[in-house]
Amino acid sequence: MSMKYVCLVILVLQTVSNVLLVRKSRHLDISIPVVVVCQEFVKLVTCVLVVLYSEGIASLRHHVIRDWTTTLKVGVPALLYVAQNQLLFISLANLDPATYQITYQLKILTTAVFSIVLLKRSISKTQWLSLLVLTLGVILVQWREDKVSRDDSTESSVTGVVCILVACLTSGFAGVFFEMMLKGGGQSVWVRNTQLALCSCVVGLANLVATEQDFIANNGLFHDFKPIIFAVIFSQAYGGLLIGLVVKYADNILKVFATSISIILSSLIGIFYFQELAFSLNFGVGLVLVLTSTVLYSLFPAKKKAE
């Protein structure tokens, strides 16, 4: 099996298992900000080790410490990513895996809008159509009344949807802003990821101190940290880094297939494993529309103008 197909399989397994792990751990009495800081710390250590191995300590010292103004600029997407990670935890605690995965594809729409505004990028008519189809598909998935009800549930679908919509906005803006920084400097992706992880740790710790003092004082920093939480931390931490690996060794088409397979598997998990979702016509049509829009948007980009 070639490296690109290995990346495809790993990306699908990571995406689906991450949703499954976070959803499964929703009843544990943990501090979400602590989990977010832990996963950013794992990212930071990993990126530092890679930079030290590939570029040496001089590169790390120059780009991360001496060029501190650039590192501070990365604090903008870092702040948004920390907020996004916490919002995704909350949304998965209130939404079934299928609804979560499908609704989160709206990040394609927000990324497209911010790309047009900030990067002056143009998109094709087919991509505009796919964004319309995507929005319609997500609306159909949300517009159903046949979720399996649980009398003892404290979940709120409204809270989950609001959190994931805000997360889509932060994802779109942070992703485009980070792309602008990658194109605007001569640093490698791993150096930028080191700067991003460092700023995310600082922002996460500040949020932790500001919001979780009472929880930590009463319960401790790692209260209710079961093995599944450590699995969540590593899955979340390496998920973003894995995307870079896929882009390097695979291509956009395989990434689209990975997304589509992940959505389908998450839907099956929601229906048969968690038994939180009853399949309906609205959900089925919405699922097909979202999958179709994802493929259309990725495979039919705007043609570059001749110089």
Side-chain angles (χ1 to χ4, degrees):
M1 184 183 291
S2 65
M3 186 62 183
K4 65 179 182 180
Y5 291 111
V6 172
C7 292
L8 171 66
V9 173
I10 294 175
L11 182 59
V12 171
L13 291 176
Q14 187 277 331
T15 303
V16 176
S17 64
N18 184 62
V19 173
L20 177 62
L21 289 169
V22 175
R23 184 65 178 164
K24 192 72 175 176
S25 63
R26 67 189 184 279
H27 297 306
L28 294 177
D29 186 24
I30 60 170
S31 168
I32 294 177
V34 172
V35 175
V36 172
V37 170
C38 287
Q39 70 188 41
E40 294 303 329
F41 181 74
V42 171
K43 279 185 192 176
L44 176 61
V45 172
T46 303
C47 291
V48 167
L49 290 176
V50 172
V51 173
L52 287 175
Y53 176 78
S54 60
E55 302 181 35
I57 192 170
S59 175
L60 189 68
R61 187 186 299 116
H62 173 73
H63 292 301
V64 179
I65 300 175
R66 291 179 181 173
D67 190 13
W68 58 270
T69 54
T70 303
T71 301
L72 283 180
K73 291 178 183 178
V74 183
V76 175
L79 174 63
L80 294 173
Y81 280 133
V82 168
Q84 173 191 325
N85 286 331
Q86 293 195 189
L87 289 167
L88 292 180
F89 268 100
I90 298 171
S91 64
L92 252 179
N94 290 279
L95 296 174
D96 61 87
T99 303
Y100 166 87
Q101 277 281 67
I102 293 172
T103 307
Y104 194 40
Q105 297 312 304
L106 281 176
K107 64 184 178 181
I108 298 174
L109 172 62
T110 59
T111 302
V113 172
F114 286 120
S115 295
I116 294 170
V117 175
L118 299 178
L119 297 177
K120 309 301 180 184
R121 185 173 290 162
S122 60
I123 64 175
S124 66
K125 292 180 180 179
T126 303
Q127 287 179 314
W128 279 115
L129 175 62
S130 70
L131 293 176
L132 178 62
V133 172
L134 172 66
T135 305
L136 178 60
V138 172
I139 291 173
L140 284 175
V141 168
Q142 297 295 335
W143 188 25
R144 63 185 198 275
E145 300 177 354
D146 51 359
K147 292 181 181 178
V148 177
S149 61
R150 298 174 186 264
D151 295 334
D152 60 343
S153 177
T154 59
E155 297 172 13
S156 168
S157 59
V158 175
T159 300
V161 170
V162 170
C163 286
I164 203 167
L165 290 178
V166 177
C168 287
L169 285 172
T170 59
S171 174
F173 182 80
V176 172
F177 191 94
F178 192 59
E179 183 180 346
M180 289 173 60
M181 295 205 68
L182 284 174
K183 291 182 176 180
Q187 295 87 352
S188 67
V189 174
W190 285 107
V191 168
R192 285 299 194 202
N193 279 328
T194 302
Q195 294 172 322
L196 182 63
L198 177 61
C199 289
S200 296
C201 284
V202 173
V203 172
L205 284 171
N207 176 58
L208 186 62
V209 172
T211 62
E212 297 293 290
Q213 288 188 32
D214 291 340
F215 180 90
I216 295 173
N218 295 327
N219 303 293
L221 192 63
F222 301 108
H223 177 68
D224 222 9
F225 261 52
K226 309 294 184 185
I228 192 173
I229 298 300
F230 290 99
V232 168
I233 289 170
F234 282 96
S235 177
Q236 292 270 65
Y238 290 115
L241 300 178
L242 185 60
I243 296 294
L245 191 66
V246 171
V247 171
K248 180 178 180 179
Y249 290 104
D251 53 40
N252 202 38
I253 297 177
L254 284 180
K255 184 181 174 184
V256 170
F257 274 114
T259 301
S260 303
I261 294 170
S262 300
I263 292 174
I264 293 172
L265 289 177
S266 296
S267 301
L268 295 175
I269 289 172
I271 294 171
F272 296 107
Y273 181 74
F274 288 109
Q275 297 182 348
E276 299 171 318
L277 177 67
F279 193 84
S280 67
L281 179 61
N282 279 354
F283 179 83
V285 174
L287 173 61
V288 172
L289 289 178
V290 170
L291 293 174
T292 302
S293 67
T294 303
V295 174
L296 286 176
Y297 187 85
S298 299
L299 300 187
F300 296 95
K303 295 181 180 179
K304 294 183 179 179
K305 295 180 180 180
E307 298 291 340

